[in-house]
C-alpha cells in the first residue's frame, strides 16, 4: 500500500477499522491448535451483558480472515434463539467481508470475498460508512496494523498464559499512539479495554530534560556498537 493511500484511508471519517480481540496475558489470540476454551471462564454476567451490548450496537460490517470465517459461518447462522440470540441476529444481518487469497465457500448470507486483504480494506474505508470490525484473523490483523489502517483496538485480556500460539501483535505493526477510552474488570479477572488512535508516538528523556550522565552516554554508545 502506498504512503498516499495509507494516509488518505486513515484520515477518512465515517468508516473506522476496529480490531476486537480476545487475548491472553502473554499476548496470544489463540493457542497452537486454534483452541479458545481458555476464554470460557472469563465472563461473569455483567461482562456478558457489556459484550453483548457492545457487539450488537457498534458496527455494521465484519472483516475476517478465511479460518475465522469458517469457524463463525459454521456456528452463528444456527445460533439464533440461543443464549446469545442478539449477537447471532446481528452477525447474520450484517455484511461479512472475508480476506482470502485461496478463495472460500461463501455459505453465510451477506458474505463478500476480498482477495487483496489490507488493500481492499483501505478501499472500503475510503467509501465511508459503518465501522469495519475484526474478530480473530491473526494474519489479517497484522496486515491492517502494518498498513496503519486500525483506528480502534478493543481487547478482552484473560488471566491466562499460553506460552505459544498466534500473537495479536507482531514486529510489522506501524508505530502509532493510542489512548484508553474505556475499561472494565470482571469478577473473574477479565479486563475489557478500548483504545482509540491518538496520533504519533511521543518520546522524551526519562526524568525530564536533564543532561544525560557520563554513564548514560557510554551506555548509548555501547548500544550503537553492539546493537
Amino acid at each position: 500500500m502506498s504512503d498516499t493511500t495509507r494516509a488518505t484511508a486513515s484520515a477518512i471519517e465515517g468508516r473506522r477499522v476496529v480490531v476486537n480481540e480476545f487475548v491472553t496475558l502473554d499476548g496470544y489470540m489463540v493457542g497452537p491448535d486454534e483452541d479458545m476454551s481458555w476464554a470460557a471462564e472469563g465472563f461473569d454476567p455483567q461482562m456478558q451483558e457489556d459484550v453483548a451490548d457492545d457487539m450488537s450496537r457498534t458496527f455494521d460490517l465484519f472483516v475476517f480472515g478465511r479460518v475465522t470465517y469458517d469457524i463463525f459461518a459454521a456456528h452463528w447462522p444456527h445460533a439464533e434463539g440461543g443464549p446469545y440470540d442478539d449477537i447471532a441476529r446481528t452477525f447474520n444481518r450484517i455484511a461479512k467481508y472475508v480476506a482470502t487469497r485461496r478463495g472460500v465457500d461463501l455459505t453465510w448470507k451477506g458474505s463478500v470475498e476480498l482477495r487483496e486483504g489490507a488493500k481492499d480494506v483501505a478501499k472500503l474505508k475510503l467509501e465511508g460508512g459503518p465501522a469495519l470490525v475484526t474478530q480473530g484473523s491473526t494474519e489479517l490483523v497484522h496486515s491492517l496494523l502494518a498498513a496503519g489502517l486500525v483506528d480502534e483496538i478493543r481487547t478482552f485480556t484473560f488471566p491466562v498464559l499460553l506460552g505459544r500460539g498466534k500473537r495479536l501483535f507482531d514486529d510489522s505493526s506501524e508505530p502509532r499512539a493510542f489512548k484508553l477510552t474505556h475499561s472494565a474488570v470482571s469478577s473473574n479477572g477479565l479486563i475489557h479495554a478500548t483504545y482509540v488512535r491518538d496520533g504519533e508516538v511521543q518520546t522524551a528523556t526519562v526524568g525530564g530534560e536533564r543532561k544525560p550522565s557520563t554513564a548514560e552516554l557510554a551506555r548509548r554508545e555501547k548500544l550503537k556498537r553492539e546493537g
Side-chain angles (χ1 to χ4, degrees):
M1 181 181 299
S2 68
D3 290 339
T4 300
T5 300
R6 179 184 291 112
T8 303
S10 298
I12 288 291
E13 296 294 337
R15 179 165 294 186
R16 295 154 42 253
V17 173
V18 179
V19 169
N20 188 81
E21 303 292 353
F22 293 176
V23 65
T24 64
L25 279 177
D26 49 351
Y28 292 102
M29 292 165 57
V30 294
D33 55 0
E34 302 285 344
D35 177 52
M36 289 191 66
S37 59
W38 47 267
E41 298 299 321
F43 292 98
D44 62 10
Q46 181 58 54
M47 187 62 74
Q48 289 178 359
E49 184 177 329
D50 289 347
V51 171
D53 182 63
D54 189 40
M55 295 299 287
S56 65
R57 291 187 303 107
T58 55
F59 65 95
D60 282 330
L61 302 171
F62 229 10
V63 180
F64 297 97
R66 181 182 57 81
V67 174
T68 303
Y69 175 81
D70 284 342
I71 294 171
F72 275 57
H75 174 74
W76 290 109
H78 316 287
E80 292 187 14
Y84 297 100
D85 179 70
D86 288 345
I87 295 177
R89 291 182 183 278
T90 298
F91 285 2
N92 293 329
R93 172 182 54 81
I94 64 177
K96 277 75 67 174
Y97 288 93
V98 191
T100 173
R101 292 188 179 91
R102 297 192 300 174
V104 63
D105 292 331
L106 300 178
T107 58
W108 197 358
K109 183 180 178 180
S111 299
V112 180
E113 187 175 281
L114 304 178
R115 284 301 185 101
E116 296 296 327
K119 290 183 180 180
D120 285 336
V121 172
K123 293 176 183 177
L124 290 171
K125 189 171 183 179
L126 286 168
E127 294 174 359
L132 296 158
V133 180
T134 72
Q135 272 285 327
S137 312
T138 315
E139 293 182 11
L140 174 62
V141 169
H142 290 170
S143 68
L144 297 176
L145 288 166
L149 292 171
V150 176
D151 301 291
E152 183 174 321
I153 300 173
R154 301 175 191 164
T155 56
F156 297 84
T157 304
F158 291 76
V160 174
L161 301 177
L162 290 184
R164 58 196 181 102
K166 296 181 179 179
R167 290 187 181 276
L168 172 54
F169 302 107
D170 68 1
D171 292 341
S172 67
S173 298
E174 182 182 73
R176 288 292 177 191
F178 286 80
K179 66 179 179 180
L180 180 69
T181 60
H182 169 78
S183 64
V185 183
S186 77
S187 59
N188 294 326
L190 166 64
I191 301 173
H192 177 200
T194 299
Y195 304 88
V196 297
R197 191 162 171 162
D198 192 33
E200 305 300 321
V201 176
Q202 303 297 318
T203 61
T205 301
V206 176
E209 297 298 324
R210 63 182 178 81
K211 184 177 179 180
S213 66
T214 301
E216 171 60 17
L217 293 173
R219 185 193 68 80
R220 295 179 186 178
E221 287 300 319
K222 181 180 180 181
L223 184 62
K224 289 179 182 179
R225 294 194 306 270
E226 300 178 0

